Amino acid sequence: MKVFTVVGARPQFIKASVLSRAFLSSNIEEVLVHTGQHYDKDMSDVFFSELSIPSPSYNLAVGGGTHAQNTGRMLEKLEELMVVEKPDCVLVYGDTDSTLAGALAAAKLHIPIAHIEAGLRSFNRRMPEEINRVLTDHMSSLLFSPTEDAKRNLLAEGVSSEKIFVVGDVMYDATVFYSNRATKPSWVDQAGLEIDKFVLCTIHRAENTDSEDRMKNIFSGLADSCIPVILPMHPRTRKKLDSLSILLPDIVRIVNPVSYLEMNWLEANCKLIATDSGGVQKEAYFHKKFCITMREETEWVELVDKGVNCLVGDSSDLIRSAINSSGFYDFSEFFYGRGDAGIKIVDVLKAYI
């Protein structure tokens, strides 16, 4: 079997590391294609090297344009490669422009599509990610859902249950596999950070970074944290901050982007996490940390229902209150499988492709 894998963004590199290992142990040939959607070295190359992911068979170097420009360029180049490689299956992850382009190219060539993280919904069609994931799900031949909630979303949209497989979350597989390899960033000791006495924060979604008001509100809420806030700065966020008249509070410490293994260390050793990232919300749960989500909605509704994730939007009052609150949080439930999602996905591919 030949699997054609499309990746382009940081979370997809991490997920691909799980399946690439599983493919190797199952003697499945993988053609790994990096679209270049995350083209910054700190957001791309470092993940391939530290996660021991095989170097991409192809790097399309597409990135930096609008959603339409990126998707169109990727679609054209991916189609050319699929015609040459003649894969038995095209594998796509998540909800990026790379995901949609890979699925579209495969669908036009009548190649079976396998979608990892199928069925997630924010129910906000203004999010580009929501459009990408809905369209990809409805083009796919095999839908690998991380949770029962995700499966219910697909069934509600009329997707055949025969195409849906609840396998758990490959991100949890990765966390389990790399947990003993977590790396303390070199600047931690110099910064005087104490274990369990800092907030880990990430901000990158366009709905926040493209709005001066939302960014000011978020930093106003973070300013009243009683402990340091560590913010690894996404390149796009840094660019936006430079263009806006936003005075960063002293309690917020901006650091350069961190690798996946460094992020694991920070997540495991912080007190709590504040983020607008979908993946980091899950990683917070994996590391048993309370999460403050600076969005109006989340795809991971089970975490909100469980009380370990708090939606605060851009409300400075809600952010301030959530950061400085304390309580008991129950992380005992296995929402995302047992760390064997990759194995289950390979078993299904071998049976159905």
Side-chain angles (χ1 to χ4, degrees), residues 201-245:
C201 180
T202 71
I203 306 171
H204 78 278
R205 285 194 179 271
E207 65 196 74
N208 286 328
T209 61
D210 288 353
S211 169
E212 182 174 357
D213 288 340
R214 289 184 70 90
M215 291 293 277
K216 285 183 175 179
N217 290 341
I218 287 170
F219 282 109
S220 174
L222 295 174
D224 290 325
S225 172
C226 57
I227 54 177
V229 178
I230 301 301
L231 176 53
M233 186 64 80
H234 189 285
R236 185 159 59 83
T237 309
R238 183 180 291 276
K239 184 177 179 180
K240 289 291 183 180
L241 277 179
D242 290 343
S243 67
L244 300 174
S245 302

Side-chain angles (χ1 to χ4, degrees), residues 31-322:
V31 178
L32 185 63
V33 181
H34 181 9
T35 65
Q37 183 172 333
H38 272 175
Y39 53 91
D40 182 274
K41 184 175 181 180
D42 290 332
M43 299 299 291
S44 177
D45 295 356
V46 65
F47 290 98
F48 283 92
S49 60
E50 77 167 357
L51 300 181
S52 300
I53 305 173
S55 297
S57 307
Y58 302 95
N59 192 323
L60 306 186
V62 175
T66 65
H67 289 291
Q69 290 169 338
N70 287 344
T71 305
R73 293 168 188 159
M74 293 173 192
L75 180 58
E76 182 178 4
K77 293 187 177 184
L78 287 169
E79 182 186 58
E80 292 174 358
L81 292 178
M82 290 178 193
V83 170
V84 171
E85 291 290 346
K86 297 181 173 58
D88 298 298
C89 173
V90 170
L91 187 68
V92 293
Y93 295 89
D95 53 23
T96 68
D97 293 339
S98 300
T99 308
L100 179 60
L104 277 170
K108 298 291 185 180
L109 294 172
H110 308 293
I111 302 171
I113 303 161
H115 185 202
I116 311 296
E117 264 193 1
L120 299 183
R121 297 292 182 268
S122 68
F123 302 102
N124 178 3
R125 291 297 179 92
R126 292 181 60 85
M127 292 174 57
E129 296 89 348
E130 183 79 349
I131 301 300
N132 292 344
R133 62 173 72 106
V134 170
L135 293 176
T136 299
D137 280 340
H138 285 268
M139 285 187 284
S140 295
S141 312
L142 297 172
L143 297 158
F144 295 104
S145 296
T147 65
E148 291 291 341
D149 280 338
K151 178 179 180 178
R152 282 190 284 270
N153 289 337
L154 292 169
L155 293 175
E157 294 174 6
V159 176
S160 169
S161 61
E162 295 181 357
K163 298 167 61 174
I164 308 169
F165 301 86
V166 180
V167 294
D169 198 311
V170 292
M171 287 290 281
Y172 183 56
D173 288 28
T175 298
V176 171
F177 183 81
Y178 292 109
S179 59
N180 62 350
R181 307 183 190 188
T183 305
K184 181 195 291 187
S186 59
W187 44 262
V188 166
D189 291 334
Q190 185 177 359
L193 288 186
E194 298 181 61
I195 301 299
D196 200 36
K197 291 186 179 179
F198 66 92
V199 177
L200 177 61
C201 180
T202 71
I203 306 171
H204 78 278
R205 285 194 179 271
E207 65 196 74
N208 286 328
T209 61
D210 288 353
S211 169
E212 182 174 357
D213 288 340
R214 289 184 70 90
M215 291 293 277
K216 285 183 175 179
N217 290 341
I218 287 170
F219 282 109
S220 174
L222 295 174
D224 290 325
S225 172
C226 57
I227 54 177
V229 178
I230 301 301
L231 176 53
M233 186 64 80
H234 189 285
R236 185 159 59 83
T237 309
R238 183 180 291 276
K239 184 177 179 180
K240 289 291 183 180
L241 277 179
D242 290 343
S243 67
L244 300 174
S245 302
I246 296 179
L247 183 63
L248 295 180
D250 292 337
I251 200 71
V252 177
R253 304 179 186 178
I254 304 297
V255 298
N256 289 329
V258 294
S259 71
Y260 174 67
L261 297 182
E262 289 175 329
M263 188 67 173
N264 260 261
W265 189 94
L266 292 169
E267 289 170 337
N269 290 282
C270 68
K271 180 180 180 182
L272 57 89
I273 293 173
T275 188
D276 60 6
S277 161
V280 175
Q281 291 176 56
K282 286 185 301 175
E283 290 170 351
Y285 189 77
F286 300 160
H287 290 286
K288 297 180 170 52
K289 304 294 180 178
F290 179 63
C291 185
I292 301 165
T293 299
M294 296 174 292
R295 289 169 54 187
E296 312 302 330
E297 71 288 303
T298 180
E299 299 77 23
W300 307 105
V301 292
E302 62 277 359
L303 298 180
V304 176
D305 294 341
K306 189 70 173 177
V308 296
N309 188 340
C310 176
L311 294 175
V312 297
D314 68 327
S315 168
S316 56
D317 288 339
L318 291 178
I319 294 171
R320 182 180 301 113
S321 174

